[in-house]
Amino acid sequence: MSTASHENATTPRKQKLIEVALPLEAISRASKADKDRKVGTIKNIHKWFAPMPTPAWRALLFAATIDDPGDPVRRAELLQIIEGLVPENGAAPTEEALKKARVALAGQGGELPTVLDPFCGGGSTLVEAQRLGFPTVASDLNPVPALVTRIETQLVPAILGKPPVTGPGDGIEGVAADPLSGFLADIEHYAGRVEQMVREQVGHLYEPVEGGEAVAWLWARTVPCANPACGIPLPLYSSPWLSKQKGREAWLRPLASAQGVHFEIGAGTASNIPSATKKDGRGGKFTCPACGTSVDERYIRKSGVSGRMGLQMLAAVIDDSSGRRFVSPRHHNVAVELPLDAPDLLLPEKALGFRVQAYGMKLFSDLFTPRQAAVLGSFADVVAEVPTWVKRDGGDEAQAAAIASVLAICVSKMAQSNSSQTRWRLDSRNGAAKAEPGFGRQSIQMLWDFAETNPFGDSVGGWKVQVNTVAAGLKALPRAARPGLAVQVDARKAGSLVTPGSALVATDPPYFAQIPYADLSDYFYSWLRRAASGVHPDLFSTIATPKSEELIADPYRRGSPEKARQYFINGFMEVFSSLRGASRADLPIVIIYAHRQEEAKDGELSSSAWDALLEAMLAAGVGIVGTWPLHATNSTRQRGIGANALASYIAMICRPRELGAPSTDRRGFLSELRHELPAAIKPLQQSSIPAVDLAQAAIGPGMAVFSRFAKVTESDGSAMRVRTALSMINDVLAQVLSEQEGDFDTETRWCLRWFEQYQWEEGPFGDAELLANALNTSVQGLEDVGIVKARAGKTATIHPDKLSASYDPVGGHRISIWEVTMHLSRILEGKGSESGIDAAGILIARARQRIDDDAVKELAYLLFSICERRGWSESARRFNSLVSSWPDLQVAARAAEKNGAAPTQDQLSFGGHEDREGERLF
């Protein structure tokens, strides 16, 4: 547990628990588990982009409302309540845990505040608020998240406990005792009727398979071969493999002729499996299997723009009694004309994350095959009739709206698995293959080959699968919630949705220029509008989702990056001004941000997203009083290094800035930073925040200092810019990390300074000796302890992967923080029985009686900082992985000690070795 940043001591108000303490490790563990859960969460209800984990919101809302008692014993009790709210498996808390939380909230006296989220997204803030008993108000400019959150927090709570319209029934998977069971039974019933009617309309487009079921049809785009003498349709596909599952290996065998390429299916693990037409490496480079002519991406784009890009089936995927098999496409006739009512929404001319327009695609309908467009349109049209069916069967308006809305969501969710954005993915663990829905990333990419799933099947993309998945997501909703309000409103005006000064504002705003929410949402909007506009005319009154008012920094939409940035700042000034008026005076405002966009500009390290958001916040009179880093993803992934992605969410605890706040100059601000930042950084490191996120988390306590002042004056009399303040915070953070070097032994300090200059490369022996002399050591001594190699006038630190696997920190040799850190990295990164968390835990257990293992973590933080600054991404990933694994390593070390892996005191033998001064080392 750690504490939030320093607060202005003159503020005459009672602190909330969130401003003093949080059980970060428990919240982060639950948040990671929530991210990893594939079923049974509200994420299953509909796709939304970068959703905030529900356990984190549950904890933050409770802690933002509860007063800090001041008494450590009572505070510990409240922290235990929060731990009960966030089970480590990421699931919903028990009823007993919820009861304790509600009793504590009731003990505050008075009514609970209304939780207001003006960027409601997938609804996690409001769902968890309702679980705790708060009234809720949600809004979003985008009608897609507004509908999703309306279903979760307004429509479903309104029908809880009602019997099914269609008569007695257990509902999906038998939940008769559940207040949701009647509704789930209705969903199952009307979903079945919808599918039956759609089958009657378009079922003939999907030929039945004798003795089995078609799972998917695999397609490749084609362009004419660039060789005029050949000119055959060249299929663009990236892998010959259809399945690598042991005993069920299958691959494509292209057979080329003057008429074109057709495919047969090979089986087994033959050594001569033909290559795909795509060449290895990045970009679109392909080779014609008939004549060997190569084409590049420029040619492919030109072909697409001129209308010469086509489609060719590669294989059909069949499930039968023998399992999964792949068959040649020659017997599968799927020629279908594009329906006249296919989505005619224009793709954006240019937009963040969009790549397909360069290949001649102009409409969203271009993302769907003709029969996908036909079947999705049929499902949407039939679902539009459901409210009439429900009311004719005796259901009331609330039931009709809820049932039809959920089925509309099922159509929209179905589109995610029924378009050319659906990949055929081989499982890296066992080689099995299946279709993977689109939007693995927040973008619409150009896929050369894709999977067309069976909408009437029982696998990915099937209607029944969507309905069951959404139903499983609905089961994750609270059962005693009072209906909230969810509307489509610009966030600039969201404060007017509640009585002034009555709300607990908690939100996760858009991430600057990272995600084009509105442009991506049009993919779903066409189908939702077609299916649900009769039930929600307020959400679907426009042809497309609103774009011009969207609060992201889209340079394509605004004309330039700087204009986009200024638009973002101006918009959020209005948002924070509105939210400040809505916020209850005794409550903080909770803002989540998870953006990592660092750039070098004029020699300074800055973050456009952060300085834009913070500039808007401060201009609106809102300051930061504390920050918390919440780890929620696996930050050891390569994408987390040097990419615009965070492994941690940063929770900013905000308050209106003091009217009588003092001013200061640059020197005064820097003095306060140097005084306060070290104390704030230590708890962050103790919480094992990933090294990749430390600089971002440090923004919070640093900006808490900056926002405490009404004005920070530069030497020329001008006001200091937020960007300058962020640069100074980064500089002081680097100083804090460097000062931790004083905790290290001499050998480690030498290695650290050498590494900063050479990484793992060789440097002159003379320079190495000079540095060693300055630190009162020697290169020979460094070589003796196995961390440096010196030969032929060159010296280098030894890469962890090249260190001895027989290393043991117990014994009669000198030991350093550096060598333990490098060996830990070797074990974590290695493969085999002597690698991994458990093996690394044994090493810590055996080393910790001779070194301070916290110093190992401090060294890893410092090494990551150096690597990131120097652009050494692979080494940065290695040390970030070590820091991120630290909590698991400590658990493994304790288990190793319990199992006798650590030596007892009488087993520790240092052999009387002496240092250069003649004194014993230990």
Side-chain angles (χ1 to χ4, degrees):
M1 300 177 187
S2 65
T3 59
S5 303
H6 174 80
E7 175 189 335
N8 192 333
T10 63
T11 306
R13 58 171 172 75
K14 195 169 182 65
Q15 286 184 307
K16 296 298 179 181
L17 183 62
I18 200 170
E19 297 172 275
V20 178
L22 279 180
L24 284 184
E25 187 172 336
I27 298 170
S28 296
R29 189 185 305 115
S31 296
K32 287 180 182 178
D34 175 76
K35 281 282 189 180
D36 291 339
R37 296 183 72 204
K38 303 301 182 185
V39 296
T41 79
I42 64 168
K43 293 180 296 185
N44 299 137
I45 296 175
H46 195 273
K47 171 67 180 180
W48 192 243
F49 309 101
M52 176 74 174
T54 52
W57 271 129
R58 206 178 301 136
L60 293 173
L61 293 171
F62 176 84
T65 310
I66 289 287
D67 291 336
D68 177 65
D71 172 32
V73 175
R74 176 54 182 157
R75 182 183 297 138
E77 292 173 356
L78 292 174
L79 294 174
Q80 284 186 331
I81 290 176
I82 294 178
E83 291 188 22
L85 290 174
V86 290
E88 64 178 17
N89 63 358
T94 64
E95 195 55 42
E96 180 183 359
L98 282 172
K99 183 179 179 181
K100 289 180 180 179
R102 291 171 184 152
V103 168
L105 289 169
Q108 292 286 106
E111 295 184 357
L112 289 177
T114 297
V115 173
L116 171 64
D117 185 352
F119 299 101
C120 61
S124 57
T125 314
L126 293 311
V127 167
E128 295 311 314
Q130 289 190 346
R131 197 183 307 279
L132 291 169
F134 292 94
T136 63
V137 173
S139 69
D140 206 296
L141 177 68
N142 193 317
V144 176
L147 175 61
V148 173
T149 305
R150 180 177 289 181
I151 289 170
E152 294 167 343
T153 65
Q154 185 173 330
L155 301 184
V156 170
I159 53 84
L160 286 174
K162 289 188 176 182
V165 174
T166 52
D170 289 337
I172 297 177
E173 298 180 10
V175 285
D178 191 332
L180 199 61
S181 62
F183 180 59
L184 294 178
D186 284 333
I187 295 297
E188 183 178 51
H189 171 80
Y190 288 105
R193 287 175 61 178
V194 167
E195 181 176 13
Q196 181 180 359
M197 186 169 288
V198 174
R199 277 184 181 273
E200 293 172 0
Q201 293 179 0
V202 296
H204 62 280
L205 301 179
Y206 297 84
E207 296 179 359
V209 176
E210 186 174 351
E213 177 187 281
V215 173
W217 298 265
L218 308 183
W219 294 87
R221 300 191 185 280
T222 65
V223 295
C225 176
N227 180 358
C230 179
I232 67 168
L234 165 56
L236 311 176
Y237 66 103
S238 54
S239 173
W241 284 101
L242 304 173
S243 170
K244 289 186 176 181
Q245 189 172 19
K246 189 174 182 179
R248 295 186 177 277
E249 296 89 352
W251 38 271
L252 293 168
R253 178 188 289 121
L255 301 175
S257 67
Q259 288 71 44
V261 180
H262 70 274
F263 291 91
E264 291 184 349
I265 308 301
T269 56
S271 60
N272 59 342
I273 295 172
S275 300
T277 56
K278 187 179 186 304
K279 294 182 179 180
D280 292 337
R282 300 190 63 177
K285 297 180 181 179
F286 295 82
T287 302
C288 177
C291 70
T293 299
S294 295
V295 300
D296 59 17
E297 199 157 350
R298 183 177 180 182
Y299 174 83
I300 295 170
R301 289 179 177 180
K302 186 176 179 181
S303 298
V305 170
S306 62
R308 296 185 298 149
M309 183 176 282
L311 290 174
Q312 179 177 349
M313 189 183 292
L314 302 175
V317 187
I318 309 295
D319 276 356
D320 58 24
S321 57
S322 65
R324 178 156 293 179
R325 58 190 173 93
F326 300 85
V327 300
S328 170
R330 284 178 290 176
H331 305 299
H332 290 264
N333 178 22
V334 293
V336 179
E337 292 292 327
L338 185 71
L340 296 176
D341 58 359
D344 57 0
L345 277 183
L346 285 170
L347 288 162
E349 186 176 345
K350 288 184 177 180
L352 298 166
F354 278 70
R355 303 289 182 267
V356 297
Q357 302 92 320
Y359 301 90
M361 297 187 185
K362 297 180 180 179
L363 302 171
F364 273 91
S365 59
D366 294 335
L367 301 175
F368 302 87
T369 68
R371 68 172 176 178
Q372 284 175 330
V375 75
L376 287 169
S378 181
F379 270 107
D381 291 342
V382 173
V383 167
E385 300 177 31
V386 168
T388 303
W389 299 352
V390 174
K391 285 183 274 190
R392 189 172 57 211
D393 292 341
D396 59 27
E397 285 286 348
Q399 289 171 306
I403 294 167
S405 298
V406 168
L407 293 180
I409 284 289
C410 291
V411 176
S412 180
K413 188 175 177 68
M414 191 177 183
Q416 191 180 346
S417 302
N418 284 272
S419 80
S420 60
Q421 292 291 293
T422 304
R423 299 173 182 268
W424 188 249
R425 180 77 75 184
L426 300 183
D427 192 316
S428 59
R429 296 164 296 182
N430 58 19
K434 67 177 181 178
E436 182 179 85
F439 299 106
R441 293 185 178 183
Q442 336 288 9
S443 61
I444 290 183
Q445 301 171 300
M446 185 63 186
L447 299 188
W448 310 116
D449 48 85
F450 62 91
E452 181 183 20
T453 59
N454 185 355
F456 300 112
D458 294 322
S459 190
V460 175
W463 172 251
K464 292 176 184 175
V465 175
Q466 312 309 316
V467 172
N468 287 331
T469 301
V470 171
L474 294 173
K475 292 176 188 176
L477 298 175
R479 296 299 191 271
R482 47 179 144 171
L485 175 68
V487 295
Q488 182 192 6
V489 167
D490 189 330
R492 298 169 181 87
K493 304 174 183 177
S496 64
L497 296 173
V498 297
T499 302
S502 67
L504 169 58
V505 176
T507 192
D508 182 11
Y511 298 154
F512 196 63
Q514 187 175 356
I515 303 174
Y517 303 89
D519 287 317
L520 291 176
S521 293
D522 278 342
Y523 177 96
F524 301 109
Y525 185 82
S526 293
W527 309 114
L528 283 172
R529 185 170 186 264
R530 195 161 166 174
S533 59
V535 179
H536 303 282
D538 60 322
L539 300 182
F540 300 104
S541 60
T542 56
I543 298 299
T545 59
K547 310 290 192 307
S548 60
E549 301 90 0
E550 185 180 31
L551 279 171
I552 62 171
D554 187 341
Y556 301 113
R557 201 176 290 164
R558 304 299 162 194
S560 72
E562 184 53 38
K563 288 180 180 178
R565 178 182 179 277
Q566 195 57 51
Y567 171 80
F568 184 89
I569 292 171
N570 293 342
F572 269 97
M573 283 173 56
E574 294 183 58
V575 170
F576 288 125
S577 294
S578 176
L579 297 180
R580 179 179 177 181
S583 177
R584 207 171 82 181
D586 65 316
L587 299 174
I589 297 172
V590 182
I591 308 291
I592 304 297
Y593 220 51
H595 195 286
R596 186 175 184 271
Q597 181 177 312
E598 294 182 342
E599 56 192 32
K601 186 173 182 180
D602 300 329
E604 292 184 349
L605 190 66
S606 62
S607 174
S608 295
W610 275 103
D611 69 48
L613 185 75
L614 295 170
E615 187 174 328
M617 188 181 296
L618 297 176
V622 176
I624 301 171
V625 298
T627 57
W628 298 101
L630 303 171
H631 323 328
T633 61
N634 180 8
S635 60
T636 62
R637 67 201 188 288
Q638 183 64 36
R639 174 166 158 72
I641 309 295
N644 193 355
L646 275 185
S648 298
Y649 294 84
I650 308 303
M652 294 184 286
I653 316 307
C654 306
R655 294 273 190 179
R657 298 175 75 184
E658 295 295 321
L659 294 177
S663 296
T664 192
D665 58 13
R666 172 185 275 260
R667 180 179 296 180
F669 171 53
L670 184 58
S671 175
E672 289 292 298
L673 265 184
R674 288 173 172 167
H675 174 68
E676 296 187 22
L677 204 57
I681 295 304
K682 198 72 173 180
L684 293 176
Q685 292 178 313
Q686 289 172 347
S687 75
S688 296
I689 182 174
V692 69
D693 294 347
L694 182 61
Q696 314 302 316
I699 288 173
M703 288 306 299
V705 175
F706 184 75
S707 64
R708 184 182 312 146
F709 299 106
K711 183 180 180 181
V712 178
T713 306
E714 295 279 24
S715 57
D716 61 1
S718 64
M720 180 179 286
R721 296 182 61 192
V722 169
R723 176 166 292 190
T724 303
L726 289 174
S727 180
M728 293 175 68
I729 292 167
N730 280 320
D731 290 343
V732 174
L733 172 62
Q735 294 170 17
V736 171
L737 293 177
S738 296
E739 287 168 2
Q740 291 176 350
E741 184 181 332
D743 296 336
F744 304 148
D745 51 80
T746 299
E747 290 81 7
T748 298
R749 291 202 298 274
W750 184 95
C751 290
L752 187 60
R753 295 183 188 180
W754 189 261
F755 178 87
E756 187 167 11
Q757 187 169 359
Y758 295 105
Q759 198 186 12
W760 312 113
E761 301 298 324
E762 293 181 331
F765 177 85
D767 291 353
E769 191 67 30
L770 282 174
L771 178 59
N773 290 337
L775 292 172
N776 198 26
T777 185
S778 68
V779 175
Q780 181 63 52
L782 294 166
E783 197 171 13
D784 289 345
V785 295
I787 55 180
V788 167
K789 61 180 179 181
R791 63 187 177 207
K794 298 291 184 180
T795 305
T797 51
I798 300 175
H799 191 282
D801 292 346
K802 296 180 180 179
L803 291 170
S804 171
S806 61
Y807 172 76
D808 187 353
V810 176
H813 58 79
R814 293 189 350 218
I815 187 171
S816 69
I817 301 297
W818 180 272
E819 71 184 82
V820 173
T821 304
M822 296 304 115
H823 280 285
L824 278 174
S825 179
R826 170 184 62 80
I827 294 172
L828 281 176
E829 299 289 326
K831 296 180 180 179
S833 59
E834 300 301 316
S835 302
I837 293 291
D838 290 339
I842 292 173
L843 176 60
I844 291 177
R846 293 184 68 77
R848 67 177 9 156
Q849 296 188 42
R850 300 187 66 188
I851 63 164
D852 178 4
D853 53 356
D854 276 345
V856 171
K857 184 168 62 170
E858 289 178 0
L859 176 60
Y861 272 116
L862 182 52
L863 286 169
F864 173 85
S865 177
I866 292 169
C867 292
E868 188 175 48
R869 193 166 61 247
R870 298 296 299 273
W872 299 335
S873 59
E874 176 54 32
S875 293
R877 184 205 58 76
R878 175 181 289 272
F879 296 122
N880 182 63
S881 176
L882 175 54
V883 171
S884 301
S885 303
W886 200 255
D888 294 331
L889 290 173
Q890 292 298 301
V891 171
R894 288 193 291 270
E897 289 171 337
K898 186 178 294 185
N899 293 332
T904 60
Q905 191 64 38
D906 59 358
Q907 292 174 309
L908 291 171
S909 174
F910 309 127
H913 284 261
E914 296 180 338
D915 66 9
R916 289 169 303 281
E917 304 296 324
E919 296 176 355
R920 286 188 178 273
L921 292 170
F922 296 92

